Amino acid sequence: MLAVAPEFAVRVRRNEPLSRHTSWHVGGPAEVFFNPRDRGELAAFLRGVPADTPIHWIGLGSNLLVRDGGLQGVVISTHGTLDELSRLNETMVHAGAGVACARIARQCIKWGLGPAEFFAGIPGTLGGALAMNAGAFGGETWQHVRAVETIDRGGHEHRRAATEYHTGYRQVSAPASEEWFLAADLAFERRPGAHESEVRTLLERRKAAQPIGEWSCGSVFTNPPGDHAARLIEAAGLKGFRIGDASVSHKHANFIINHGQASAADLERLISHVRDTVARVHGVALHPEVRIVGVP
Ligand SMILES: Cc1cc2nc3c(=O)[nH]c(=O)nc-3n(C[C@H](O)[C@H](O)[C@H](O)COP(=O)(O)OP(=O)(O)OC[C@H]3O[C@@H](n4cnc5c(N)ncnc54)[C@H](O)[C@@H]3O)c2cc1C
């Protein structure tokens, strides 16, 4: 069993079901689940993790399929922590990795900054959005990043310019492996007239097109060049296709819904079925946007 120093005992849970921490509500246990109070505690904890122990990070689990066997090693949760959000100057904002993207959208509107409304459409943390280059309504996370602060498994902090990362559509390649986001400096423009109603309008539009409120991870597949995964899935006749308690949404074919009792294995089988069917029918290879991790 992985040893944990006694000073961390209150912040550590063993065999924590990750189904409690993912928007699909599936996922087996994390061997060790740690929710640090702050950076100092996080760094001290990381220094005590043996070099051969896997380390995973989780924000709000809105883009994660954790398999039923769970995750071995350590899971660092940023939920409710690393949540500083401040204004650096006229147009720059500093946000911790644990800040919910929707909060960034709301606060930027209050500060008269934009365009940040797109963050309201991403039900995750800034850390997850940085890892995914999350985007919505035509906006993308890394368009706004000027610098990030990271931490490595030795607990050492680094400050890196955005130019050190290669980013694309839902893709981020980092200059170093095993370095995770603590915070970012984000640049916006002055938008003195910005109003919360703009966010509400965007969210209403989205609610009309997507099964918001059901258990999903958003879009399962990235869009192939020049097309939409949802269109291809629907045209392959897969809307409503069901495995166990998981089905392809009738409202938006790139969403897969857990109706309550689906296992991660059901979801993964359905993802494979959709991918194989689209490849057979259309000759197009779909790639999962959702990150699939853990032991089957
Ligand atoms: C209803 C719904 C709608 C969605 N709509 C959109 C959308 O419009 N656009 C879009 O892009 N996404 C969308 N998503 C997907 C998801 O919200 C985003 O990918 C989001 O950025 C994930 O953030 P998270 O905090 O939940 O990350 P998690 O799901 O917890 O993790 C995702 C990945 O990020 C890594 N990670 C998390 N925190 C850190 C960190 N601090 N440092 C390094 N790595 C980290 C994790 O290890 C994992 O690999 C949607 C999801 C749902 C459920």
Side-chain angles (χ1 to χ4, degrees):
M1 202 199 327
L2 195 59
V4 169
E7 65 266 32
F8 301 119
V10 286
R11 311 289 293 177
V12 162
R13 280 176 256 170
R14 287 185 182 276
N15 296 317
E16 172 71 5
L18 289 167
S19 52
R20 291 185 190 155
H21 303 275
T22 59
S23 59
W24 251 333
H25 296 258
V26 298
E31 191 180 354
V32 166
F33 184 90
F34 180 57
N35 186 223
R37 210 184 311 266
D38 54 31
R39 284 184 187 209
E41 200 182 62
L42 171 61
F45 178 86
L46 286 171
R47 282 195 290 275
V49 176
D52 57 352
T53 299
I55 298 176
H56 313 268
W57 281 57
I58 186 168
L60 289 177
S62 62
N63 202 50
L64 270 183
L65 176 55
V66 180
R67 295 193 175 103
D68 299 311
L71 287 172
Q72 278 160 359
V74 166
V75 173
I76 309 285
S77 159
T78 59
H79 188 187
T81 188
L82 306 179
D83 58 354
E84 73 275 9
L85 180 58
S86 60
R87 203 165 167 181
L88 292 173
N89 58 36
E90 268 286 282
T91 53
M92 296 277 296
V93 166
H94 178 82
V99 175
C101 291
R103 191 175 147 218
I104 298 177
R106 280 198 312 273
Q107 190 57 55
C108 280
I109 285 173
K110 285 193 184 121
W111 283 329
L113 296 175
E117 304 83 69
F118 76 91
F119 273 121
I122 300 164
T125 60
L126 177 63
L130 288 166
M132 297 302 307
N133 194 16
F137 313 124
E140 237 178 30
T141 303
W142 279 82
Q143 288 169 345
H144 299 278
V145 179
R146 294 298 170 267
V148 292
E149 289 164 13
T150 63
I151 193 163
D152 62 27
R153 63 181 297 144
H156 306 291
E157 291 188 19
H158 306 264
R159 185 173 170 84
R160 293 188 178 278
T163 48
E164 294 181 63
Y165 292 77
H166 295 285
T167 63
Y169 166 56
R170 304 292 178 270
Q171 264 184 356
V172 179
S173 55
S177 63
E178 300 222 295
E179 230 180 80
W180 300 279
F181 298 110
L182 293 174
D185 293 347
L186 305 170
F188 298 100
E189 292 162 24
R190 292 281 299 130
R191 287 273 174 95
H195 199 269
E196 283 222 23
S197 62
E198 291 169 35
V199 168
R200 271 201 301 277
T201 309
L202 287 175
L203 294 181
E204 275 160 21
R205 229 175 59 203
R206 150 166 299 210
K207 208 171 167 195
Q210 297 179 359
I212 304 300
E214 296 192 69
W215 291 356
S216 82
C217 74
S219 292
V220 172
F221 298 98
T222 53
N223 289 321
D227 211 334
H228 286 98
R231 190 198 71 77
L232 294 164
I233 297 166
E234 183 173 354
L238 287 165
K239 267 191 167 178
F241 188 88
R242 194 172 182 119
I243 292 183
D245 219 13
S247 77
V248 175
S249 166
H250 278 286
K251 202 164 186 183
H252 190 300
N254 200 15
F255 278 55
I256 288 180
I257 308 298
N258 173 5
H259 297 279
Q261 303 300 321
S263 61
D266 293 334
L267 290 162
E268 201 172 358
R269 268 198 296 274
L270 186 48
I271 291 171
S272 300
H273 178 78
V274 170
R275 198 192 48 219
D276 294 348
T277 307
V278 166
R280 184 167 42 75
V281 173
H282 301 292
V284 176
L286 290 181
H287 301 287
E289 176 174 327
V290 56
R291 300 268 175 99
I292 303 174
V293 294
V295 184

